Amino acid sequence: MADYQRVDLELLDDGVIEGRFYGAPAAHAAVLWVGGTGGGWDTPARNLYPTLAAELTGDNIASLRLKFRRPRELEIGVQDVLAGVNYLYHEGFTKLALVGHSLGGAVVIRAAAESREPINTVVTLATQSNGTQSVVGQLGPDCSLLLLHGDTD
């Protein structure tokens, strides 16, 4: 599995967002990964994100995994993801995908709709829809959206 670099995104008045950055040499594309209400790095995705982040570095795609400050609060999660988007664009990444599982799916849809920077792709895994219905139509015209659900979701 690829190594990551710890990244702390400091917010002016509201704490620090912990991140794990998987660099890829000369990459222009990056994926930002978030979990759900269980907190931690991946819940409920568990080892899916570090595995995919490591594999993508071989395809020259960087990754940033974020740990929500308050994993049960949609709006705070959106702020966390937008801080991650800002970080990636300031690091020179010009193509960006957002991936979220469970509550994280709703968070990435909202963040993509609110982002000042262009988002190219949004992927959700077993996402909740609460908080997304009124904004999904606001995704940029060049933003693809993939919603993945299992038979028992």
Side-chain angles (χ1 to χ4, degrees):
M1 205 163 296
D3 291 330
Y4 61 84
Q5 172 187 354
R6 181 181 169 144
V7 175
D8 289 332
L9 307 176
E10 295 187 33
L11 300 177
L12 292 177
D13 296 328
D14 209 11
V16 174
I17 305 161
E18 294 178 62
R20 294 179 176 173
F21 179 73
Y22 297 72
H28 296 287
V31 180
L32 190 153
W33 310 85
V34 292
T37 60
W41 292 102
D42 306 311
T43 59
R46 300 209 172 84
N47 290 324
L48 179 64
Y49 291 169
T51 300
L52 292 175
E55 288 182 15
L56 287 173
T57 62
D59 292 326
N60 208 28
I61 299 172
S63 287
L64 176 63
R65 294 169 52 216
L66 293 181
K67 182 178 177 183
F68 290 135
R69 291 173 293 150
R70 288 177 246 165
R72 289 181 174 82
E73 296 184 35
L74 180 68
E75 292 303 324
I76 299 297
V78 171
Q79 291 174 16
D80 292 353
V81 169
L82 290 173
V85 167
N86 188 47
Y87 169 81
L88 290 169
Y89 272 99
H90 279 95
E91 290 296 310
F93 295 98
T94 57
K95 295 186 182 278
L96 193 57
L98 306 180
V99 179
H101 198 174
S102 187
L103 172 72
V107 168
V108 297
I109 289 171
R110 293 281 300 269
E114 294 178 22
S115 179
R116 294 181 190 156
E117 305 293 347
I119 304 299
N120 302 92
T121 301
V122 174
V123 178
T124 69
L125 309 169
T127 188
Q128 72 174 43
S129 59
N130 186 32
T132 64
Q133 299 93 330
S134 63
V135 298
V136 74
Q138 297 171 18
L139 294 177
D142 297 322
C143 182
S144 60
L145 174 63
L146 176 62
L147 307 169
L148 298 171
H149 284 273
D151 290 340
T152 59
D153 286 339

